[in-house]
Amino acid sequence: MDKVETSYSEMDLHTSDSNSAKIKKLFTELKSLIKIGIINSNLITAFTGFWLAIFFTNTSITMHWDTFFLTMIGSVLIIAGGCILNNWYDVDIDPIMARTKNRPTVTGYFTLRSVLIMGIITSFIGFILLSLTTIIATIFGFIGWFIYVVLYTMWSKRKYTLNTIVGSFSGAVPPLIGWTAVSPELHIVPIALFLIMFIWQTPHFLSLAMKKRDDYKAANVPMLPVVYGFEFTKRQIVIYIACLLPLPLLLTSLGTTFVVIATILNIAWLIIGFRGLFTKDNLKWANMIFFYSLNYLTVMFLLMVIVTLPIF
């Protein structure tokens, strides 16, 4: 009898482990499907836009808790929906590239039909939630989604080297969503946030394209390093980084501390960029640019929030 009871106990334990592993696997695949890294970075900028709108309208976040949750959740769902549809559409080229060959649309973890339905439903719910804030925020949300799904994924990505610029428009929209959810009136601050995000994306994604040039070449995606080579791409990266230099001056209303630190961040990035024009280890330099860009985005937008906290 004891032996039988032990056997059942062990069976329950293995079943529990199996279910836990399945749930963990599901979450891992879902994070890959919705591109959790893209969601996290865009959510930071959407939150910053929302926070600064509260600051400049002299209101309190406690007065906007409902709007805050609707904006953040709506933005997450719209971005996730766009990323899901991107995975659905790119299923033919993703198996060719090392960094995308294990996506759930490639491995068959999710069927293409279910992915398409998930992308549409997720996007739709996101638009509904965002529409409960302001119409302007919803319009910006739709513009970002449409550019990413249709103009970038379905049109320009496989045809033109300017696909990065096209995609940059959608990536620059989240701060506008955050701002207009609170204040529909445009202001120099959200415009500056849009410009920072728009320009930032080109050196960020071109450095990634340099690192993954062989993948893009194999998949016949006309990224700049594939079509024009590393030297031309490096010059473009430096030009775009240089274009960030004057933008902190549009945000002088955030105070001297922000302007000084933001300017230092820009100059440091430009110095790294210039070094790339003379280096022979292009991939090492591209890796530096890529990781600096990630830290740049995080520090820049968190700094905007920190300098507008009530303690300052």
Side-chain angles (χ1 to χ4, degrees), residues 29-36 38 80-95 99-100 102-106 110 112 115-116 119 148-149 153 157-158:
E29 298 296 342
L30 283 173
K31 287 193 293 183
S32 175
L33 187 66
I34 66 176
K35 301 186 180 182
I36 194 67
I38 290 178
C83 289
I84 292 171
L85 292 173
N86 172 273
N87 279 336
W88 168 78
Y89 190 82
D90 280 349
V91 69
D92 60 326
I93 62 174
D94 280 347
R99 74 184 186 91
T100 58
N102 292 319
R103 284 178 176 172
T105 43
V106 177
F110 298 118
L112 289 181
V115 170
L116 176 60
Y148 183 70
V149 173
T153 300
K157 181 176 180 178
R158 308 185 189 205

Side-chain angles (χ1 to χ4, degrees), residues 52-231:
L52 292 180
I54 289 175
F55 176 79
F56 283 99
T57 55
N58 294 313
T59 56
S60 169
I61 195 167
T62 57
M63 299 171 57
H64 296 281
W65 277 121
D66 54 344
T67 304
F68 172 74
F69 286 113
L70 288 169
T71 303
M72 295 299 106
I73 297 173
S75 296
V76 165
L77 292 177
I78 290 172
I79 297 167
C83 289
I84 292 171
L85 292 173
N86 172 273
N87 279 336
W88 168 78
Y89 190 82
D90 280 349
V91 69
D92 60 326
I93 62 174
D94 280 347
I96 303 171
M97 298 189 284
R99 74 184 186 91
T100 58
K101 66 181 182 180
N102 292 319
R103 284 178 176 172
T105 43
V106 177
T107 62
Y109 187 87
F110 298 118
T111 66
L112 289 181
R113 183 173 182 272
S114 65
V115 170
L116 176 60
I117 293 172
M118 277 192 286
I120 294 172
I121 292 176
T122 302
S123 301
F124 181 74
I125 295 174
F127 290 129
I128 294 297
L129 293 180
L130 211 54
S131 70
L132 299 177
T133 59
T134 67
I135 295 299
I136 301 299
T138 311
I139 291 173
F140 277 127
F142 177 76
I143 290 173
W145 180 91
F146 181 82
I147 291 175
Y148 183 70
V149 173
V150 179
L151 299 186
Y152 171 70
T153 300
M154 298 181 179
W155 174 59
S156 64
K157 181 176 180 178
R158 308 185 189 205
K159 292 184 178 181
Y160 309 107
T161 57
L162 290 175
N163 56 25
T164 304
I165 304 299
V166 175
S168 294
F169 279 100
S170 63
V173 164
L176 298 181
I177 296 174
W179 179 280
T180 55
V182 175
S183 175
E185 297 180 4
L186 282 181
H187 187 282
I188 188 62
V189 170
I191 293 173
L193 299 188
F194 174 86
L195 291 174
I196 290 172
M197 281 303 300
F198 177 75
I199 295 172
W200 169 85
Q201 287 175 92
T202 295
H204 173 74
F205 285 110
L206 287 185
S207 61
L208 176 63
M210 287 179 66
K211 294 169 59 179
K212 304 298 180 180
R213 182 181 66 171
D214 292 342
D215 273 0
Y216 285 116
K217 185 176 181 180
N220 201 30
V221 177
M223 297 299 289
L224 211 62
V226 174
V227 179
Y228 294 106
F230 282 163
E231 296 307 315

